[in-house]
């Protein structure tokens, strides 16, 4: 939520910051702004609306300075207005601040600062922090003890902050310098050739450098022309570790695709190959998960799993639950991270706790991880973004390796999470009762997943035609059973998120206990109809819908014969192993939602009210 970029270097800062903001826009797109420190002044351009609106506004300024900060906002405190857009300037005109996060005690600070004569132009918590820095600056003697008065003012202000922040600050008295800090909001420093860029994530700076320092909570970075230093709020010096980003600028660009979501849907076969790469044993009978940092004897002690996540990742955990219980015969509990953190869920010593998160920055999932660790549990993470907060705080885990996912609606990260859940089930099962031969069969099935997904993608034109016929319906049901119930939830979420059509996911047989009341010719149902023991049961559920004039779109395993006329539309998917089925079955619902949103001319990659990574509670 909210994207921040700051630049200190030799080039004109404005164009570099605007470029970074375009890449960060998926984090929030209510307003955008930038501030350039030039000619002894803080020159600000900011507007409600997208970065493209800011680009036009910025063209009216003469931005030549080589130091600046920029922000793209997902509104928390205060409406979507020009005044509430960042950067904010302190009322004495000395400081400019951009912020991602929430200052929880801003109201008390605002009262205090108003009493000292500071004034406010916005309704934001951020402007309060900006003035608090100005207040401490006014109180500080000039540079003392060899430390910068600028840095110390920021540090002193942050000592009083309760909440979360990734910030970057400019001071009019310190041209060519910047202070940035983080607490529970992501922030990294790009170390370029004679230039430094702070940003919420690497996509904002990947076009200038692949060398980055991931800042940790409670750290401040002070950037000057001479270099940078990192210290903690408690004034301890930190030795920076420079990491190298492994993906490239092309991964963060849309290429010839109309939307990132489309690009990411079609990238799934390669993404799945990358997720699996090097992760099967030499004998081809199990998975390798060295990153879990647990030996086989330790894993054999585990008698229960707990998974916490949000949104699509939570759906992926539900599939993992099904597969671990089915193949490894161990109980699994799945909780919303936002619920877990406030419940007092009993965990026992032999419970292995997992969090799952594409971004690794979702605040509820991070808080669940911290709560589990506080209770003394070993916490493992399934996560895509290398160096994210969750990756750094977990005791071990598995990276998804699918490259940056920019579309707000999760697609390739979701199927990769399904794959890792299936691999984890295999890994644990092989440590317990699964035979070598069953393991080999399971591994071969997983290795075949990318090709099966390619086949499922081959239905794109057919699904696009269906989408045109169904885009005007206002309500949908998505119905599936067993491991495809979570995919029904995911299908409904995708449709809601990007097309704003009301949709509900339900277990197919449970539908008759309530949601069937919604059924009429105006509410179509999307059914998952896999081959196997429940085929006839699902057909019965379909009959119940048909009897009430409900339209049916059936996603059917090849080789299954539906009674004539039962489904209005049939989307075939290849027959496959149960561990791969959820992955393959996801593809049609991704495409259906995508094409419906396109027909409705929705902003597919930036749906209203949403942001890619939810870093506020
Ligand atoms: O980055 P995370 O996986 O932790 O994100 C969790 C959810 O916010 C995310 O899956 C969200 O539901 C997506 N918009 C789904 O498409």
């Amino acid at each position: 939520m909210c994207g921040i970029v700051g630049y200190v270097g030799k080039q004109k800062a404005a164009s570099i910051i605007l470029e970074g903001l375009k890449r960060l826009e998926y984090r929030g797109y209510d307003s955008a702004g930038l501030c350039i420190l030039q000619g002894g002044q803080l020159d600000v351009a900011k507007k409600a609306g997208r970065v493209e609106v800011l680009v036009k506004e910025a063209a009216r300024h003469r931005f030549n300075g080589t130091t600046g900060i920029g922000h793209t906002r997902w509104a928390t405190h205060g409406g979507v207005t020009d005044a509430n857009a960042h950067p904010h300037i302190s009322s004495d005109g000395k400081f400019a601040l951009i912020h991602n996060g929430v200052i929880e005690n801003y109201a008390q600070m605002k009262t205090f600062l108003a009493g000292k004569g500071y004034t406010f132009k916005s309704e934001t918590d951020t402007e309060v922090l900006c003035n608090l820095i100005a207040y401490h600056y006014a109180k500080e003697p000039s540079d003392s003890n060899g430390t910068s008065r600028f840095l110390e003012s920021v540090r002193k202000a942050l000592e009083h902050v309760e909440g979360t922040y990734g910030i970057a600050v400019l001071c009019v008295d310190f041209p060519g310098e910047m202070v940035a800090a983080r607490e529970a909001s992501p922030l990294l420093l790009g170390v370029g050739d004679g230039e430094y860029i702070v940003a919420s994530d690497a996509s904002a700076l990947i076009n200038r450098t692949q060398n980055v320092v991931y800042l940790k909570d409670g750290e401040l970075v002070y950037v000057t022309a001479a270099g940078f230093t990192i210290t903690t709020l408690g004034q301890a010096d930190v030795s920076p570790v420079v990491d190298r980003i492994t993906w490239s600028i092309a991964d963060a660009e849309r290429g010839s695709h109309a939307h990132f979501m489309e690009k990411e849907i079609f990238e799934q076969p390669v993404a799945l190959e990358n997720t699996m790469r090097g992760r099967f044993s030499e004998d081809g009978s199990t998975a390798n998960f060295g990153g879990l940092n647990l030996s086989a004897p330790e894993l054999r002690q585990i008698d229960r799993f707990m998974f916490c996540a949000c949104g699509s990742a939570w759906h992926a955990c539900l599939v993992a639950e099904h597969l671990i219980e089915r193949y490894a015969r161990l109980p699994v509990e799945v909780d919303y991270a936002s619920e877990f953190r406030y419940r007092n869920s009993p965990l026992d010593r032999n419970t292995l706790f997992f969090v799952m998160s594409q971004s690794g920055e979702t605040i509820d999932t991070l808080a669940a991880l911290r709560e589990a660790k506080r209770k003394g549990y070993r916490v493992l993470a399934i996560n895509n973004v290398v160096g994210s907060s969750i990756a750094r705080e977990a005791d071990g885990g598995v990276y998804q390796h699918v490259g940056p996912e920019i579309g707000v609606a999760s697609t390739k990260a979701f199927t990769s999470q399904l794959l890792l859940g299936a691999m984890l089930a295999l890994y644990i099962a092989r440590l317990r009762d699964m035979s070598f031969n069953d393991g080999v069969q399971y591994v071969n099935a997983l290795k075949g997943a990318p090709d099966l997904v390619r086949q499922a993608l081959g239905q794109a034109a057919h699904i696009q035609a269906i989408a045109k016929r169904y885009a005007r319906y206002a309500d949908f049901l998505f119905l599936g059973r067993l491991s495809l119930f979570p995919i029904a939830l995911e299908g409904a979420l995708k449709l809601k998120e990007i097309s704003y059509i009301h949709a509900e996911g339900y277990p197919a047989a449970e539908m008759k206990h309530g949601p069937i009341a919604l059924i009429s010719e105006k509410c179509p149902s999307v059914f998952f109809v896999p081959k196997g023991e429940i085929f006839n049961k699902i057909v019965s559920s379909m009959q119940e819908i048909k009897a009430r004039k409900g339209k049916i779109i059936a996603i059917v395993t090849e080789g299954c014969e539906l009674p004539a006329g039962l489904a209005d539309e049939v989307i075939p998917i290849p027959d496959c192993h149960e561990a791969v089925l959820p992955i393959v079955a996801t593809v049609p619902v991704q495409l259906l939602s995508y094409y419906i949103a396109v027909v409705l001319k929705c902003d597919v990659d930036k749906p209203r009210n949403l942001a890619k990574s939810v870093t506020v509670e």
Side-chain angles (χ1 to χ4, degrees), residues 296-499:
E298 283 174 311
L299 275 166
R300 276 193 209 98
Q301 298 297 312
I302 302 300
D303 58 19
R304 182 169 166 260
F305 287 83
M306 174 92 200
F307 284 81
C308 277
C310 302
S312 292
W314 182 77
H315 300 155
C317 292
L318 292 177
V319 175
E321 173 187 20
H322 178 86
L323 294 175
I324 293 170
E325 291 191 349
R326 167 122 162 74
Y327 289 99
R329 308 293 305 139
L330 283 175
V332 180
E333 191 180 343
V334 178
D335 204 356
Y336 287 110
S338 55
E339 290 295 305
F340 172 81
R341 61 185 292 194
Y342 291 110
R343 290 200 300 127
N344 194 6
S345 176
L347 301 173
D348 65 62
R349 273 189 325 120
N350 295 330
T351 298
L352 190 55
F353 195 99
F354 268 90
V355 290
M356 206 185 268
S357 171
Q358 185 284 129
S359 62
E361 300 295 348
T362 300
I363 197 75
D364 286 321
T365 311
L366 184 58
L369 175 156
R370 287 176 178 162
E371 174 63 8
K373 284 189 78 168
R374 193 188 60 73
K375 287 181 165 167
Y377 291 93
R378 185 192 285 270
V379 181
L380 304 177
I382 293 176
N383 164 235
N384 188 36
V385 177
V386 175
S388 63
S389 302
I390 285 176
R392 281 186 284 112
E393 293 192 27
D395 298 304
V398 191
Y399 277 124
Q400 297 181 230
H401 295 311
V402 298
E405 188 181 69
I406 311 278
V408 165
S410 185
T411 52
K412 64 176 179 175
F414 175 68
T415 45
S416 144
Q417 288 166 347
L418 293 178
L419 176 59
L420 286 172
M423 291 172 72
L424 186 64
L426 165 71
Y427 186 52
I428 306 298
R430 286 284 293 128
L431 291 174
R432 298 170 66 83
D433 298 330
M434 186 187 270
S435 71
F436 176 84
N437 285 344
D438 286 349
V440 169
Q441 204 192 354
Y442 194 121
V443 167
N444 289 338
L446 293 180
K447 286 183 177 168
D451 274 338
L452 295 173
V453 167
R454 274 186 198 101
Q455 284 179 47
L457 288 168
Q459 293 296 322
H462 174 51
I463 296 172
Q464 189 171 19
I466 295 174
K468 285 182 186 151
R469 292 195 282 280
Y470 285 79
R472 306 290 162 194
Y473 287 85
D475 300 283
F476 276 78
L477 283 186
F478 285 76
L479 301 164
R481 294 188 73 161
L482 305 177
S483 65
L484 297 185
F485 160 54
I487 308 307
L489 294 175
E490 176 66 5
L493 179 66
K494 289 282 93 84
L495 191 63
K496 276 185 276 213
E497 279 189 298
I498 60 167
S499 69

Side-chain angles (χ1 to χ4, degrees), residues 42 89-96 130 134 137-138 149 170-173:
L42 295 165
I89 304 292
S90 56
S91 62
D92 62 5
K94 283 199 176 292
F95 288 90
C130 191
Y137 187 76
R149 184 181 172 200
L170 301 180
C171 177
V172 83
D173 297 337

Side-chain angles (χ1 to χ4, degrees), residues 25-164:
E25 203 175 16
Y26 72 93
R27 300 179 64 87
Y29 29 86
D30 289 331
S31 63
L34 84 162
C35 173
I36 303 297
L37 177 47
Q38 54 188 16
Q41 285 192 334
L42 295 165
D43 191 357
V44 176
K46 58 183 190 173
K47 286 299 252 183
R50 302 279 165 101
V51 174
E52 64 198 29
V53 178
L54 174 65
V55 170
K56 287 191 191 120
E57 178 67 15
R60 288 144 47 102
H61 293 242
R62 287 226 170 98
F63 284 135
N64 294 314
T66 58
T67 305
I69 53 178
H71 186 270
T72 175
R73 179 172 187 242
W74 188 85
T76 58
H77 293 62
V80 178
T81 62
D82 291 354
N84 287 336
H86 300 211
H88 291 285
I89 304 292
S90 56
S91 62
D92 62 5
K94 283 199 176 292
F95 288 90
L97 176 67
I98 49 174
H99 169 219
N100 168 27
V102 173
I103 311 293
E104 287 165 4
N105 56 339
Y106 81 103
Q108 298 106 285
M109 295 198 290
K110 191 169 185 175
T111 308
F112 168 79
L113 289 165
K116 299 283 177 196
Y118 289 86
T119 57
F120 302 88
K121 291 182 177 153
S122 78
E123 305 153 285
T124 65
D125 50 344
T126 305
E127 190 184 14
V128 176
L129 176 57
C130 191
N131 276 314
L132 190 66
I133 294 169
Y135 166 78
H136 283 286
Y137 187 76
K139 276 196 0 179
E140 280 282 318
S142 51
D143 293 11
S144 54
N145 309 327
T147 58
S148 160
R149 184 181 172 200
F150 175 19
L151 174 64
E152 290 314 309
S153 310
V154 177
R155 195 196 310 275
K156 289 233 158 61
L158 291 179
E159 279 169 5
H160 295 91
V161 166
E162 289 165 22
T164 60

